Amino acid sequence: ATGLPTRQIMISCTHTHSGPDLTNTTEEAVQRYIPKLQQWLVEAAQVALEDRKPARIFTGHVEATGLNFVKHYYNVDEKGEKHFFGDNFGRHVMDETTRHTTDADPTMHIIQFKREGGKDVVLCNWRAHPQLTGGSKIKNLSADYPAPFREILGAQLNCHVHFLQGAAGNINPKSRIPEEQHFLNHREFGARLAYFALECLEHDMQEVEAGLIKTKQLQFAGRADHSMDHKREEAIKVWRFFSDCGDRDAAASLCKEHGFASVYHAGSVASKAAAPETIEIELNAITVGEVLAFVTAPNELFDTNSVYTEEHSPYEMTFTCGYCNGHWFYIPSRYGYDYSCYESHVSRFAAGTGEEVSNAFLDMLRQLKGE
């Protein structure tokens, strides 16, 4: 419809835990929705291309503190003592230059395009699932905090606002510690997040030189996780039992008997044994001039790896965007596997893949920078 080459098109999703379940294609509503969604995406792209105007670029960042949390906040050891995430093994996750090992990184990156003869455009990149409702099974509540966030910013500044979700595989907007559950209403939460962005846009934006836009794409071969293949038959038994009866408590007892952390762990082991040795995913790097960079993957990345990429990037501001051009589920950090969290149980990828993706991002960025 646009004449753009496929490799120059990126579709970036926001993972809300309360959107339409497009895998349930037997539902008539889903059958109607999918072609409409495709039509809307094409129409939006056409309108945007027609609306292009010269622009000056401004960048800034703000610490939206107290609004995103590591899902697996603490672990209880055999003595009953709590160890907060990042302290459990007495070492930093990546190396001495990575600061954010205990709390989620609260940094929101912002780019503002001040356009000649048209509304300004604002891009905001931040880490956290919109998961205030507690999961996808609650159908009568919304978790879509980016909607009020965009509405408030757009109305205050008379601009177009786009929310680009960052690495969120281990990050929620809701803490598991009750006294830290400040905002559970998605509109209140979105408004609070918008307040941080407005403060930055009004007081802390710096103009940068645009320069050339450069891109690099890599078909990355991630190592598949086959560490539990020897338990496939037991996993199939557990998963079939749960699928037939739906009794979560009985299935949990069966999981414990066979050494699985949950029914989802068993289901994942049952399906992964048939996977190839490697899984190919598309990684992208996009740079604007000498200051701005975007890296994208079709996964839920952990913020530890994202922070590592951003802190070692040769560009001053690096956006990390998940859920781009497909979805291949979680890529946990190495620490996630050490910690034995839910995401490591169900990930299709072997331990260490998150660090390999970080290094691949950095290789692409350094090549684009000419280093």
Side-chain angles (χ1 to χ4, degrees), residues 117-156:
K119 277 189 175 183
D120 291 349
V121 176
V122 174
L123 306 182
C124 297
N125 180 228
W126 193 64
R127 302 173 174 90
H129 289 76
Q131 195 181 343
L132 295 169
T133 60
S136 57
K137 295 179 179 62
I138 300 176
K139 302 295 185 185
N140 61 339
L141 292 173
S142 174
D144 186 15
Y145 70 71
F149 172 83
R150 292 174 59 239
E151 290 167 13
I152 291 168
L153 276 187
Q156 289 282 334

Short mmCIF file of all heavy atoms in Angstrom, two decimals, residues 117-156:
data_model
loop_
_atom_site.label_atom_id
_atom_site.label_comp_id
_atom_site.label_asym_id
_atom_site.label_seq_id
_atom_site.Cartn_x
_atom_site.Cartn_y
_atom_site.Cartn_z
N GLY A 117 4.62 23.55 10.80
CA GLY A 117 3.29 23.52 10.20
C GLY A 117 2.48 22.29 10.54
O GLY A 117 1.60 21.90 9.77
N GLY A 118 2.73 21.68 11.68
CA GLY A 118 1.95 20.51 12.08
C GLY A 118 2.14 20.22 13.55
O GLY A 118 3.02 20.79 14.22
N LYS A 119 1.29 19.34 14.07
CA LYS A 119 1.40 18.98 15.48
C LYS A 119 2.76 18.33 15.76
O LYS A 119 3.28 17.58 14.93
CB LYS A 119 0.30 17.97 15.85
CG LYS A 119 -1.04 18.59 16.19
CD LYS A 119 -1.97 17.51 16.76
CE LYS A 119 -3.28 18.13 17.23
NZ LYS A 119 -4.16 17.11 17.85
N ASP A 120 3.30 18.61 16.94
CA ASP A 120 4.52 17.94 17.35
C ASP A 120 4.24 16.46 17.59
O ASP A 120 3.10 16.05 17.81
CB ASP A 120 5.07 18.56 18.64
CG ASP A 120 5.60 19.96 18.43
OD1 ASP A 120 5.73 20.37 17.26
OD2 ASP A 120 5.87 20.65 19.43
N VAL A 121 5.31 15.66 17.56
CA VAL A 121 5.22 14.23 17.83
C VAL A 121 6.15 13.90 19.00
O VAL A 121 7.30 14.34 19.03
CB VAL A 121 5.63 13.40 16.60
CG1 VAL A 121 5.63 11.91 16.93
CG2 VAL A 121 4.68 13.68 15.44
N VAL A 122 5.64 13.14 19.98
CA VAL A 122 6.41 12.76 21.15
C VAL A 122 6.47 11.24 21.24
O VAL A 122 5.43 10.57 21.17
CB VAL A 122 5.80 13.34 22.44
CG1 VAL A 122 6.53 12.80 23.68
CG2 VAL A 122 5.85 14.87 22.42
N LEU A 123 7.67 10.67 21.36
CA LEU A 123 7.86 9.24 21.57
C LEU A 123 8.36 9.02 23.00
O LEU A 123 9.33 9.66 23.42
CB LEU A 123 8.90 8.67 20.60
CG LEU A 123 8.71 8.90 19.10
CD1 LEU A 123 9.84 8.21 18.34
CD2 LEU A 123 7.38 8.39 18.63
N CYS A 124 7.70 8.13 23.73
CA CYS A 124 8.10 7.81 25.10
C CYS A 124 8.39 6.32 25.21
O CYS A 124 7.59 5.50 24.78
CB CYS A 124 7.01 8.19 26.10
SG CYS A 124 6.65 9.95 26.13
N ASN A 125 9.53 5.97 25.80
CA ASN A 125 9.97 4.58 25.95
C ASN A 125 10.15 4.28 27.43
O ASN A 125 10.95 4.92 28.11
CB ASN A 125 11.29 4.41 25.18
CG ASN A 125 11.85 2.99 25.24
OD1 ASN A 125 13.03 2.82 25.52
ND2 ASN A 125 11.05 2.00 24.97
N TRP A 126 9.39 3.29 27.94
CA TRP A 126 9.42 3.00 29.37
C TRP A 126 9.17 1.52 29.59
O TRP A 126 8.51 0.86 28.78
CB TRP A 126 8.36 3.83 30.10
CG TRP A 126 8.52 3.84 31.59
CD1 TRP A 126 9.57 4.37 32.30
CD2 TRP A 126 7.61 3.31 32.55
NE1 TRP A 126 9.35 4.20 33.64
CE2 TRP A 126 8.16 3.56 33.84
CE3 TRP A 126 6.38 2.66 32.46
CZ2 TRP A 126 7.53 3.17 35.01
CZ3 TRP A 126 5.75 2.28 33.63
CH2 TRP A 126 6.32 2.53 34.88
N ARG A 127 9.68 0.99 30.72
CA ARG A 127 9.61 -0.44 31.00
C ARG A 127 8.54 -0.76 32.02
O ARG A 127 8.63 -0.32 33.15
CB ARG A 127 10.95 -0.94 31.55
CG ARG A 127 12.15 -0.70 30.66
CD ARG A 127 13.40 -1.10 31.43
NE ARG A 127 14.59 -1.04 30.61
CZ ARG A 127 15.34 0.03 30.47
NH1 ARG A 127 15.02 1.14 31.11
NH2 ARG A 127 16.41 0.01 29.71
N ALA A 128 7.57 -1.55 31.65
CA ALA A 128 6.62 -2.19 32.57
C ALA A 128 5.44 -2.72 31.78
O ALA A 128 4.89 -2.02 30.93
CB ALA A 128 6.13 -1.27 33.67
N HIS A 129 5.05 -3.98 32.07
CA HIS A 129 3.80 -4.49 31.52
C HIS A 129 2.64 -3.60 32.00
O HIS A 129 2.60 -3.29 33.19
CB HIS A 129 3.47 -5.89 32.08
CG HIS A 129 4.33 -6.99 31.60
ND1 HIS A 129 5.61 -7.19 32.06
CD2 HIS A 129 4.07 -7.99 30.73
CE1 HIS A 129 6.11 -8.27 31.48
NE2 HIS A 129 5.22 -8.77 30.68
N PRO A 130 1.69 -3.25 31.15
CA PRO A 130 0.43 -2.73 31.67
C PRO A 130 -0.39 -3.90 32.24
O PRO A 130 -1.19 -4.50 31.55
CB PRO A 130 -0.23 -2.11 30.44
CG PRO A 130 0.88 -1.89 29.48
CD PRO A 130 1.82 -3.04 29.71
N GLN A 131 -0.16 -4.24 33.48
CA GLN A 131 -0.74 -5.45 34.07
C GLN A 131 -1.37 -5.15 35.43
O GLN A 131 -1.28 -5.93 36.37
CB GLN A 131 0.33 -6.53 34.23
CG GLN A 131 -0.22 -7.92 34.48
CD GLN A 131 0.87 -8.94 34.66
OE1 GLN A 131 2.00 -8.71 34.30
NE2 GLN A 131 0.54 -10.08 35.23
N LEU A 132 -2.02 -4.01 35.54
CA LEU A 132 -2.58 -3.61 36.83
C LEU A 132 -3.74 -4.49 37.25
O LEU A 132 -4.06 -4.58 38.44
CB LEU A 132 -3.04 -2.16 36.77
CG LEU A 132 -1.93 -1.13 36.55
CD1 LEU A 132 -2.52 0.22 36.24
CD2 LEU A 132 -1.05 -1.03 37.78
N THR A 133 -4.41 -5.14 36.30
CA THR A 133 -5.59 -5.93 36.64
C THR A 133 -5.23 -7.29 37.22
O THR A 133 -6.09 -7.99 37.72
CB THR A 133 -6.46 -6.18 35.40
OG1 THR A 133 -5.67 -6.89 34.43
CG2 THR A 133 -6.93 -4.88 34.79
N GLY A 134 -3.99 -7.69 37.13
CA GLY A 134 -3.60 -8.98 37.69
C GLY A 134 -3.57 -10.11 36.69
O GLY A 134 -3.36 -11.25 37.04
N GLY A 135 -3.79 -9.82 35.41
CA GLY A 135 -3.67 -10.89 34.43
C GLY A 135 -4.73 -10.79 33.34
O GLY A 135 -5.65 -10.00 33.40
N SER A 136 -4.57 -11.63 32.33
CA SER A 136 -5.41 -11.54 31.14
C SER A 136 -6.78 -12.17 31.33
O SER A 136 -7.63 -12.07 30.46
CB SER A 136 -4.69 -12.22 29.96
OG SER A 136 -4.39 -13.56 30.30
N LYS A 137 -7.01 -12.87 32.46
CA LYS A 137 -8.28 -13.56 32.63
C LYS A 137 -9.38 -12.65 33.17
O LYS A 137 -10.53 -13.05 33.26
CB LYS A 137 -8.09 -14.77 33.56
CG LYS A 137 -7.18 -15.84 32.99
CD LYS A 137 -7.00 -17.00 33.95
CE LYS A 137 -6.11 -18.07 33.33
NZ LYS A 137 -4.76 -17.57 33.06
N ILE A 138 -9.02 -11.42 33.56
CA ILE A 138 -10.02 -10.48 34.05
C ILE A 138 -10.51 -9.66 32.85
O ILE A 138 -9.80 -8.81 32.33
CB ILE A 138 -9.44 -9.57 35.14
CG1 ILE A 138 -8.95 -10.42 36.31
CG2 ILE A 138 -10.49 -8.57 35.63
CD1 ILE A 138 -8.27 -9.64 37.41
N LYS A 139 -11.73 -9.93 32.41
CA LYS A 139 -12.20 -9.38 31.14
C LYS A 139 -12.91 -8.04 31.28
O LYS A 139 -13.09 -7.33 30.30
CB LYS A 139 -13.16 -10.37 30.45
CG LYS A 139 -12.55 -11.74 30.19
CD LYS A 139 -11.42 -11.68 29.20
CE LYS A 139 -10.91 -13.07 28.84
NZ LYS A 139 -9.73 -13.02 27.96
N ASN A 140 -13.37 -7.70 32.51
CA ASN A 140 -14.20 -6.50 32.64
C ASN A 140 -13.41 -5.30 33.17
O ASN A 140 -13.98 -4.30 33.55
CB ASN A 140 -15.39 -6.78 33.58
CG ASN A 140 -14.95 -7.17 34.98
OD1 ASN A 140 -13.82 -7.60 35.15
ND2 ASN A 140 -15.83 -7.04 35.95
N LEU A 141 -12.08 -5.40 33.23
CA LEU A 141 -11.24 -4.29 33.64
C LEU A 141 -10.17 -4.05 32.59
O LEU A 141 -9.76 -4.97 31.89
CB LEU A 141 -10.55 -4.61 34.98
CG LEU A 141 -11.44 -4.70 36.22
CD1 LEU A 141 -10.62 -5.19 37.40
CD2 LEU A 141 -12.08 -3.36 36.53
N SER A 142 -9.73 -2.82 32.50
CA SER A 142 -8.66 -2.49 31.57
C SER A 142 -7.34 -2.33 32.32
O SER A 142 -7.33 -1.90 33.47
CB SER A 142 -8.97 -1.19 30.84
OG SER A 142 -7.86 -0.80 30.03
N ALA A 143 -6.27 -2.71 31.67
CA ALA A 143 -4.93 -2.45 32.21
C ALA A 143 -4.19 -1.46 31.34
O ALA A 143 -2.98 -1.29 31.46
CB ALA A 143 -4.16 -3.76 32.30
N ASP A 144 -4.90 -0.79 30.45
CA ASP A 144 -4.28 -0.01 29.39
C ASP A 144 -3.87 1.38 29.89
O ASP A 144 -4.46 2.39 29.51
CB ASP A 144 -5.26 0.10 28.21
CG ASP A 144 -4.64 0.78 27.01
OD1 ASP A 144 -3.41 0.91 26.97
OD2 ASP A 144 -5.40 1.20 26.11
N TYR A 145 -2.85 1.43 30.75
CA TYR A 145 -2.42 2.74 31.25
C TYR A 145 -1.79 3.63 30.16
O TYR A 145 -1.80 4.85 30.29
CB TYR A 145 -1.49 2.61 32.45
CG TYR A 145 -0.11 2.06 32.19
CD1 TYR A 145 0.85 2.79 31.51
CD2 TYR A 145 0.25 0.80 32.67
CE1 TYR A 145 2.12 2.29 31.29
CE2 TYR A 145 1.53 0.30 32.46
CZ TYR A 145 2.46 1.05 31.76
OH TYR A 145 3.72 0.55 31.55
N PRO A 146 -1.23 3.06 29.04
CA PRO A 146 -0.74 3.97 28.00
C PRO A 146 -1.83 4.85 27.39
O PRO A 146 -1.52 5.93 26.89
CB PRO A 146 -0.15 3.02 26.95
CG PRO A 146 0.27 1.82 27.73
CD PRO A 146 -0.80 1.66 28.77
N ALA A 147 -3.10 4.42 27.45
CA ALA A 147 -4.18 5.24 26.86
C ALA A 147 -4.34 6.57 27.60
O ALA A 147 -4.25 7.63 26.97
CB ALA A 147 -5.49 4.45 26.83
N PRO A 148 -4.59 6.58 28.93
CA PRO A 148 -4.67 7.88 29.61
C PRO A 148 -3.35 8.64 29.58
O PRO A 148 -3.35 9.88 29.54
CB PRO A 148 -5.06 7.51 31.04
CG PRO A 148 -4.75 6.07 31.20
CD PRO A 148 -4.93 5.47 29.84
N PHE A 149 -2.23 7.93 29.59
CA PHE A 149 -0.93 8.58 29.48
C PHE A 149 -0.85 9.40 28.20
O PHE A 149 -0.49 10.59 28.20
CB PHE A 149 0.17 7.51 29.51
CG PHE A 149 1.55 8.02 29.21
CD1 PHE A 149 2.33 8.60 30.20
CD2 PHE A 149 2.09 7.91 27.93
CE1 PHE A 149 3.61 9.07 29.93
CE2 PHE A 149 3.36 8.37 27.65
CZ PHE A 149 4.12 8.96 28.66
N ARG A 150 -1.25 8.79 27.09
CA ARG A 150 -1.21 9.48 25.79
C ARG A 150 -2.23 10.61 25.73
O ARG A 150 -1.95 11.69 25.20
CB ARG A 150 -1.46 8.47 24.66
CG ARG A 150 -0.33 7.46 24.49
CD ARG A 150 -0.67 6.38 23.47
NE ARG A 150 -0.95 6.96 22.18
CZ ARG A 150 -2.10 6.82 21.52
NH1 ARG A 150 -3.07 6.11 22.03
NH2 ARG A 150 -2.25 7.37 20.34
N GLU A 151 -3.44 10.35 26.27
CA GLU A 151 -4.49 11.37 26.24
C GLU A 151 -4.06 12.64 26.98
O GLU A 151 -4.25 13.76 26.50
CB GLU A 151 -5.76 10.82 26.86
CG GLU A 151 -6.46 9.74 26.03
CD GLU A 151 -7.52 9.01 26.83
OE1 GLU A 151 -7.88 9.48 27.94
OE2 GLU A 151 -7.97 7.95 26.37
N ILE A 152 -3.51 12.46 28.18
CA ILE A 152 -3.12 13.62 29.00
C ILE A 152 -1.99 14.40 28.36
O ILE A 152 -2.04 15.64 28.23
CB ILE A 152 -2.74 13.14 30.42
CG1 ILE A 152 -3.98 12.64 31.15
CG2 ILE A 152 -2.06 14.26 31.21
CD1 ILE A 152 -3.69 11.89 32.42
N LEU A 153 -0.94 13.70 27.92
CA LEU A 153 0.17 14.38 27.26
C LEU A 153 -0.29 15.09 25.99
O LEU A 153 0.08 16.23 25.73
CB LEU A 153 1.27 13.39 26.91
CG LEU A 153 2.30 13.01 27.97
CD1 LEU A 153 3.39 12.16 27.34
CD2 LEU A 153 2.90 14.22 28.62
N GLY A 154 -1.12 14.38 25.19
CA GLY A 154 -1.59 14.96 23.94
C GLY A 154 -2.41 16.21 24.14
O GLY A 154 -2.28 17.19 23.41
N ALA A 155 -3.28 16.19 25.17
CA ALA A 155 -4.13 17.34 25.43
C ALA A 155 -3.34 18.52 26.00
O ALA A 155 -3.54 19.67 25.62
CB ALA A 155 -5.24 16.95 26.41
N GLN A 156 -2.38 18.23 26.89
CA GLN A 156 -1.60 19.30 27.52
C GLN A 156 -0.67 19.99 26.52
O GLN A 156 -0.47 21.20 26.59
CB GLN A 156 -0.76 18.71 28.67
CG GLN A 156 -1.56 18.28 29.88
CD GLN A 156 -1.96 19.45 30.75
OE1 GLN A 156 -1.31 20.49 30.77
NE2 GLN A 156 -3.05 19.29 31.48
#
